Amino acid sequence: MNTEEIMAQDNEYVMQTYGRQPLALKKGKGAVVWDVEGRAYIDCVAGIAVNNVGHAHPRVAEAISKQAHKLIHTSNIYYTEEQVRLAKLLVEVSPHQKAFFCNSGAEANEGAIKLARKYTGKGEIIAMENSFHGRTITTITATGQHKYKKNFGPLTPGFKHVPYGNLEAVGEAITNETAAVLVEPVQGEGGIIIPPEGYLDELKKLCHENDVLLIFDEVQTGFGRTGEMFASQTFKVTPDITTLAKAIAGGFPMGAVMASEEVGNAFQPGDHAATFGGGPLACAAGLASVETIREEGLLVRSRENGEYFKNQLKELFLEHGLVEDVRGVGMMLGMEMDMPCSRMVDDMRLQGVLVNCTAEKVLRFVPPLVISQEQINDVTDCLDEILRRLSD
Ligand SMILES: *Cc1c(COP(=O)(O)O)cnc(C)c1O
């Protein structure tokens, strides 16, 4: 099928929940994807921070295909070696001691909220304005943006929102009924918002003084995105609970809730479950993906090439009045424009670069961590040309 035929059938048979780009993708390799017409694109979207090890990584592909020939699924009524091996590896690379496996970011956040309520025996959750935590009823409640909630009430009771970066507001919001504070260490969908200096550290202190748990939603920041395996390591602040998904299994659907020994032990048999959670296929993909990040030195690459990319973008900021700000950490970068940026996304796609526009005015760059400096140059040259044309 060509692009037009695929678009027509999508319109006929698929619920129209996505504002899609007119592009049908067929294959990928590293930081490049190809559409069904055979055109190549440098991919700075990467499934939205999912394909951290690059598209079609041979090690991940091999692990999935080998496992598929052995055992695709079995119930969590039984044990598998793949699940315990991945849990052990995640404990090794994270600041936590226990894992629960699920299938998506929203589901991981749901699990974290249940765990915090069970452990503390309290109900209230404090979340941040401008945050994003998923699309289930409880996670749109936790999300601090109206556009995701309208038309879907009644929402889940027990949630409050405070401005991200404002410690005083958290202090005022905490009551005797507060179970946890839920925060993205770097806000992703909200426009790549970096925490103010010392904020996460102080937030942790504030939580602990008040017997409140701190939950980091690392669904987007996880697995090398910010230059360390997790943003908790980049910012040197250990939360009580971390939620993971997106890049965890190299593009295979998976999520996880990680916690300290004590908090994790609050869940007892029967408390929580997921039919597909931690299935052998997802775990094989997760093992291959996390091992690849470690063994291919992708954390160093994320830091070094991320810094290189940010500096290239900063040069564009100095040259072009239309750019308001460039910010980011590791390979999680944002370029804020003084206008909505969806036109620029179209222009870049037509020139062979995929980016995405979030928070209306922010071009988000979250490419595979394997992207080369040469590919980064191609992206910024393309941006330079478009910005030049726009300011004429
Ligand atoms: C993408 C994202 C989610 C939701 O993940 P799904 O797998 O789509 O449910 C939650 N939190 C953050 C920070 C995200 O970026």
Side-chain angles (χ1 to χ4, degrees):
M1 280 195 268
N2 65 27
T3 309
E4 263 174 38
E5 288 162 342
I6 293 171
M7 284 172 66
Q9 298 218 359
D10 176 272
N11 193 47
E12 190 165 351
Y13 300 115
V14 180
M15 290 192 200
Q16 297 295 296
T17 60
Y18 300 101
R20 292 192 211 263
Q21 306 257 304
L23 173 68
L25 293 172
K26 186 166 188 171
K27 63 173 187 173
K29 191 79 214 157
V32 178
V33 288
W34 284 267
D35 69 10
V36 292
E37 321 291 343
R39 286 181 294 244
Y41 302 83
I42 299 176
D43 185 8
C44 290
V45 176
I48 312 202
V50 167
N51 303 101
N52 287 14
V53 298
H55 289 279
H57 194 287
R59 185 161 174 180
V60 177
E62 180 76 12
I64 291 173
S65 97
K66 265 189 158 164
Q67 184 59 43
H69 285 279
K70 278 196 284 185
L71 183 69
I72 292 177
H73 172 77
T74 183
S75 171
N76 277 306
I77 293 174
Y78 312 108
Y79 299 96
T80 66
E81 181 178 329
E82 289 73 27
Q83 190 175 116
V84 292
R85 282 179 56 209
L86 181 59
K88 181 165 184 272
L89 181 59
L90 290 178
V91 165
E92 240 172 77
V93 300
S94 80
H96 297 297
Q97 289 75 46
K98 293 274 181 181
F100 171 85
F101 292 109
C102 53
N103 308 285
S104 69
E107 213 186 332
N109 285 326
E110 293 267 354
I113 291 162
K114 280 179 72 175
L115 181 61
R117 286 182 171 174
K118 175 96 200 285
Y119 175 78
T120 61
K122 300 173 187 175
E124 249 171 43
I125 309 289
I126 297 171
M128 302 298 154
E129 290 171 10
N130 196 47
S131 61
F132 182 80
H133 298 294
R135 300 290 201 139
T136 61
I137 294 293
T138 293
T139 56
I140 59 172
T141 307
T143 291
Q145 301 185 57
H146 175 70
K147 65 179 176 191
Y148 297 109
K149 314 185 195 210
K150 65 171 197 293
N151 302 322
F152 299 121
L155 300 176
T156 308
F159 286 80
K160 281 185 192 170
H161 291 86
V162 298
Y164 177 81
N166 185 333
L167 290 163
E168 214 167 275
V170 179
E172 282 166 17
I174 290 176
T175 70
N176 289 335
E177 272 311 300
T178 308
V181 171
L182 170 63
V183 62
E184 294 159 88
V186 177
Q187 289 190 330
E189 303 302 302
I192 314 291
I193 312 295
I194 308 297
E197 187 74 35
Y199 170 66
L200 295 172
D201 207 23
E202 292 296 323
L203 189 58
K204 181 178 169 174
K205 284 187 198 140
L206 190 58
C207 285
H208 281 207
E209 283 163 15
N210 291 282
D211 287 328
V212 168
L213 296 180
L214 180 60
I215 306 172
F216 277 2
D217 177 344
E218 292 227 37
V219 170
Q220 193 160 148
T221 53
F223 299 98
R225 184 52 58 193
T226 67
E228 297 289 347
M229 194 61 88
F230 300 108
S232 54
Q233 295 153 339
T234 301
F235 295 102
K236 301 188 170 60
V237 176
T238 303
D240 301 288
I241 302 174
T242 296
T243 57
L244 302 171
K246 291 203 161 98
I248 188 170
F252 201 88
M254 179 175 236
V257 182
M258 303 289 301
S260 65
E261 177 98 35
E262 185 181 308
V263 173
N265 284 341
F267 269 162
Q268 278 160 16
D271 277 342
H272 198 43
T275 296
F276 290 120
L281 204 51
C283 287
L287 278 163
S289 178
V290 177
E291 280 165 0
T292 298
I293 292 171
R294 285 213 297 195
E295 287 167 28
E296 288 187 3
L298 297 187
L299 302 181
V300 177
R301 208 171 160 107
S302 171
R303 287 197 291 275
E304 289 180 357
N305 284 354
E307 194 60 29
Y308 179 80
F309 201 161
K310 189 159 78 174
N311 287 335
Q312 299 286 94
L313 294 175
K314 278 190 173 156
E315 277 181 32
L316 297 177
F317 163 73
L318 293 176
E319 263 170 61
H320 300 280
L322 294 169
V323 184
E324 297 258 278
D325 190 26
V326 168
R327 54 183 179 256
V329 52
M331 204 52 96
M332 186 171 183
L333 306 172
M335 183 181 226
E336 182 161 350
M337 307 299 300
D338 75 350
M339 57 182 184
C341 52
S342 58
R343 257 275 319 273
M344 287 182 74
V345 169
D346 290 335
D347 290 345
M348 292 185 77
R349 187 185 65 252
L350 293 171
Q351 297 204 37
V353 176
L354 301 187
V355 289
N356 134 282
C357 173
T358 192
E360 252 174 277
K361 292 177 172 181
V362 182
L363 286 172
R364 168 170 46 181
F365 303 87
V366 286
L369 306 180
V370 296
I371 192 172
S372 67
Q373 292 196 352
E374 202 178 4
Q375 288 167 325
I376 291 169
N377 290 340
D378 287 347
V379 171
T380 49
D381 287 350
C382 169
L383 255 174
D384 190 28
E385 200 187 307
I386 285 164
L387 286 167
R388 217 168 283 280
R389 232 187 301 137
L390 279 174
S391 36
D392 277 348

